[in-house]
Amino acid sequence: MSNYAWEKSYPPGVKWELDVPRMTIHQSFEESCAKYGDRPFTDFLDKVMTFRDYKEASDRAAAGFQKLGVKPGVNVGLYLPNTPHYIIAFFGVLKAGGRVVNYSPLDAARELEFKIGDSETDILVTLDVAALYPKMAAMRGKTRLKKLIVGSIADYLPWPKSWLYPIAKKKELSAWPRDDWHMSFKDLLNNDGKYLAYKPSSDNLWDEVALLQYTGGTTGLPKAAMLTHGCVMAAMSQGQAWTVPYTNPGTEKVVCVLPLFHIYALSGIMLGAVRNGNQLILYPRPDIDMIVNDLGKKKPTFLPGVPTLYTAINKHPKAQGLDLSSLKICMSGGAPLPVEVQQSFEKLTGATLIEGYGLTETSPTGAICPVDKSVRRVGSCGVPMPGTVIEIRDMEDGDKVLPPGKEHVGEVCIIGPQVMKGYWKKQEETDKVLFRHPSSNWMGLRTGDMGYMDEDGWLYLVDRSKDLIISSGYNVYPRMIEEAVYEHPAVDEVIVIGIPDPYRQEAPKVFVKLKPGASLTFEELKKHLEGKIGKHEMPVALEIRPELPKTPVGKLSKKELKEEERAKAQSKAA
């Protein structure tokens, strides 16, 4: 039996002990399809598909992938927005025995090229939209990519939208050649659905990698977290356990506007809906007008998001007059939730908006706030989830666990069955952040985040990883922006830090020292960065200085600039 202080803050009937089903992710999907076959699984722009529809389509996808050579050890890329293609391909790859590699549609060309090589992706699925296809077509011949599978949004639209879409959206679509390098998504699924079902060779699901999920990790450079069937199933089980007292499996409707290539949406929303037999309302892009309209019309009960989504709903003129009483629980993650945003949203909707904390490396569960508002603690991101231990460890002596109290700030360490296996092909980086916990025998993760816990086990974050910027819930890595800025011929030295942003919470600002006699405007810098970094990474400000701060040993230092910007923000607020 456990004896943790934070258990007294758990919802009624929820225990710390966690029973993780010993099955793969796709076996869990098959189980739900058998249980909820006729239950709607997705509503995609008014096209409703059942669990049975997805079972049959993913069976055909698995057969199609196996014909292309997908088997254990083969990695398949998904470069997709939130459409049925993603869900079908995701489960099709896993059923065939492959691993899924998630690619962000926000990635710039150089990031895509790097990830294709690093993850050893030979087969990739995308759509014929202008925002995606040309970028991936450009990888032909430059990378190891051998087969590009191309779908169309019209594939899964209701009539007559499916007929009208290619005409109405002609400027947003890309033509693609029918040759051996390409394959249509329809052709991938054009078979009898008979495939050789993948069953792991080991009984230990924590050895079987299901996903390569790119992240900056805790040191700022992109690397792929190896998420196993075991750790993802553990995260699904934790989320299910936390919401059991407040849900009716098989009846809930869940808004899915967060991108499925992100672990928060993939694990917490999509796979959570699979486990509970719930319906997803899928949005291919974050159209706030459509979302607000659907809140009133389609009556979702769950709305997971990031703070910017709740801010946008709070400010939307139509939201004020809608009946939003169908909403029960809304979950904010990806970035700290401002108290005023939380309070305004709860007043507007009557729902409960709770905050959570986790990382890609923890699939992404860690801490979560109870649904009961009466136990809420301002400034805290919650208590450890079931099956999870969170320790605050000394920054100098990483094995020393600090006692509770605001005066004992240290590194937040998350221990539990949801922790990743390690970083793909990066053993040295893995060894820096993972450790075996002596009492639980689960892996522990050194998050790089600074915080403390109170006497009751509530976690308070003091600062995030040293350099990581979280903008609208997305990880933005200053070093990647810095490297792109350095390529401008006028730049001598550069530092990128995050500054407060009224909409995105945090956004990149560039500080530059120019070469003698050189000049550079903000507009010139942005033009230079186009195609080198993603839109979400684009800086919001440029400041040119004669000198940039340095440490005593001559390294560029961000500390002073962060302090200056923090003081500016405080002065503005005052």
Side-chain angles (χ1 to χ4, degrees):
M1 292 292 290
S2 61
N3 186 27
Y4 294 112
W6 53 77
E7 275 191 275
K8 61 189 175 188
S9 300
Y10 276 21
V14 178
K15 303 295 182 186
W16 181 85
E17 287 81 6
L18 183 70
D19 180 24
V20 181
R22 293 304 197 265
M23 63 175 70
T24 62
I25 298 167
H26 53 284
Q27 284 170 339
S28 174
F29 173 69
E30 294 284 293
E31 184 178 81
S32 290
C33 288
K35 187 175 181 181
Y36 302 107
D38 294 326
R39 161 80 176 153
F41 182 34
T42 64
D43 175 342
F44 176 66
L45 303 179
D46 299 327
K47 169 76 170 181
V48 176
M49 295 173 64
T50 66
F51 276 85
R52 182 171 288 109
D53 292 332
Y54 277 96
K55 188 231 174 336
E56 293 172 355
S58 59
D59 283 352
R60 293 195 298 273
F65 281 127
Q66 287 186 338
K67 288 178 182 176
L68 293 176
V70 176
K71 58 185 179 181
V74 174
N75 302 329
V76 179
L78 302 185
Y79 185 53
L80 295 163
N82 291 7
T83 70
H85 305 82
Y86 184 95
I87 301 173
I88 292 166
F90 177 85
F91 288 112
V93 171
L94 296 184
K95 288 181 180 183
R99 305 186 194 102
V100 170
V101 185
N102 276 314
Y103 286 78
S104 167
L106 298 172
D107 283 343
R110 64 168 61 187
E111 293 172 277
L112 295 174
E113 190 173 343
F114 166 75
K115 289 178 182 178
I116 289 169
D118 183 67
S119 65
E120 301 172 4
T121 296
D122 290 335
I123 300 168
L124 187 139
V125 185
T126 191
L127 295 183
D128 63 352
V129 296
L132 296 178
Y133 173 77
K135 284 186 186 178
M136 203 49 69
M139 298 296 111
R140 187 173 188 173
K142 292 175 63 178
T143 66
R144 60 183 290 150
L145 199 60
K146 296 179 176 63
K147 182 69 73 173
L148 188 64
I149 300 165
V150 185
S152 170
I153 286 179
D155 295 341
Y156 294 103
L157 289 177
W159 178 265
K161 283 184 181 178
S162 58
W163 178 74
L164 294 171
Y165 179 83
I167 301 170
K169 301 292 185 179
K170 187 175 181 180
K171 291 182 179 179
E172 298 177 21
L173 301 179
S174 280
W176 53 278
R178 271 54 175 178
D179 57 26
D180 289 345
W181 194 72
H182 292 82
M183 171 185 268
S184 73
F185 195 79
K186 286 183 176 179
D187 283 344
L188 176 74
L189 271 57
N190 187 19
N191 57 64
D192 60 9
K194 293 179 180 177
Y195 68 99
L196 182 62
Y198 169 63
K199 293 180 180 177
S201 56
S202 168
D203 289 335
N204 184 5
L205 294 181
W206 280 265
D207 281 340
E208 298 287 336
V209 178
L211 297 168
L212 296 183
Q213 195 74 27
Y214 275 91
T215 174
T218 56
T219 55
L221 289 174
K223 55 185 83 64
M226 295 187 288
L227 302 183
T228 66
H229 286 276
C231 63
V232 174
M233 285 299 300
M236 290 166 64
S237 301
Q238 289 166 336
Q240 184 183 37
W242 199 253
T243 57
V244 156
Y246 312 98
T247 62
N248 296 301
T251 66
E252 309 292 352
K253 290 184 179 181
V254 186
V255 171
C256 186
V257 63
L258 297 180
L260 290 171
F261 64 79
H262 192 286
I263 190 60
Y264 175 15
L266 174 59
S267 177
I269 303 175
M270 186 185 95
L271 295 180
V274 166
R275 194 86 191 121
N276 291 298
N278 293 332
Q279 181 181 8
L280 294 172
I281 304 174
L282 279 181
Y283 295 89
R285 57 190 178 88
D287 184 326
I288 190 62
D289 292 330
M290 186 184 296
I291 293 165
V292 169
N293 184 59
D294 283 351
L295 289 178
K297 185 174 73 172
K298 297 185 178 180
K299 303 295 183 185
T301 55
F302 279 65
L303 174 62
V306 292
T308 49
L309 174 64
Y310 303 114
T311 299
I313 293 172
N314 286 343
K315 293 180 177 179
H316 198 282
K318 289 186 178 178
Q320 308 302 320
L322 287 177
D323 176 10
L324 303 177
S325 59
S326 65
L327 287 173
K328 297 180 183 177
I329 303 173
C330 302
M331 170 71 193
S332 181
L337 176 66
V339 174
E340 61 272 19
V341 173
Q342 181 185 43
Q343 292 174 344
S344 296
F345 184 83
E346 290 185 335
K347 183 178 179 181
L348 173 68
T349 64
T352 299
L353 176 55
I354 61 174
E355 185 174 5
Y357 163 71
L359 296 88
T360 299
E361 292 88 341
T362 62
S363 310
T365 51
I368 192 169
C369 290
V371 177
D372 184 354
K373 296 179 186 178
S374 68
V375 299
R376 183 176 290 171
R377 300 193 182 187
V378 176
S380 174
C381 57
V383 295
M385 295 193 79
T388 303
V389 172
I390 293 181
E391 294 178 345
I392 307 299
R393 295 197 171 197
D394 187 85
M395 291 299 293
E396 300 297 326
D397 179 0
D399 293 327
K400 180 183 177 183
V401 179
L402 299 177
K406 193 172 184 178
E407 67 277 17
H408 298 296
V409 172
E411 183 173 21
V412 178
C413 295
I414 300 175
I415 301 106
Q418 72 270 37
V419 174
M420 69 172 182
K421 184 176 182 177
Y423 293 122
W424 170 256
K425 299 195 301 181
K426 288 181 171 57
Q427 190 59 49
E428 187 177 342
E429 296 287 347
T430 298
D431 292 341
K432 289 178 183 177
V433 299
L434 289 188
F435 61 92
R436 180 72 65 178
H437 193 253
S439 59
S440 69
N441 207 36
W442 288 116
M443 296 306 296
L445 175 78
R446 304 181 194 277
T447 68
D449 292 337
M450 306 290 289
Y452 66 92
M453 295 183 86
D454 65 21
E455 294 283 351
D456 297 320
W458 286 69
L459 177 65
Y460 297 78
L461 296 179
V462 175
D463 203 355
R464 291 191 297 274
S465 303
K466 186 177 179 182
D467 295 329
L468 183 67
I469 300 169
I470 299 183
S471 184
S472 293
Y474 293 108
N475 287 355
V476 174
Y477 313 119
R479 183 166 171 178
M480 296 197 73
I481 303 174
E482 288 166 356
E483 287 175 355
V485 173
Y486 266 123
E487 293 180 16
H488 194 285
V491 172
D492 185 27
E493 293 177 344
V494 58
I495 291 176
V496 174
I497 65 168
I499 62 171
D501 184 88
Y503 182 67
R504 292 190 282 174
Q505 270 70 58
E506 197 175 23
K509 177 176 179 178
V510 178
F511 294 82
V512 163
K513 176 189 174 186
L514 296 175
K515 293 176 181 176
S519 64
L520 179 66
T521 67
F522 187 37
E523 290 304 315
E524 288 170 348
L525 175 64
K526 287 194 290 185
K527 187 173 181 181
H528 164 76
L529 293 175
E530 286 177 5
K532 294 182 173 66
I533 60 175
K535 289 182 180 179
H536 64 303
E537 298 169 314
M538 196 63 69
V540 296
L542 166 68
E543 185 171 334
I544 296 172
R545 296 193 172 195
E547 295 293 336
L548 296 181
K550 292 184 174 67
T551 67
V553 294
K555 289 184 180 180
L556 290 170
S557 175
K558 301 186 179 188
K559 181 180 177 182
E560 296 84 350
L561 297 177
K562 286 182 177 180
E563 288 174 352
E564 286 179 24
E565 293 296 329
R566 191 177 293 120
K568 283 183 191 175
Q570 289 172 348
S571 176
K572 271 188 181 179

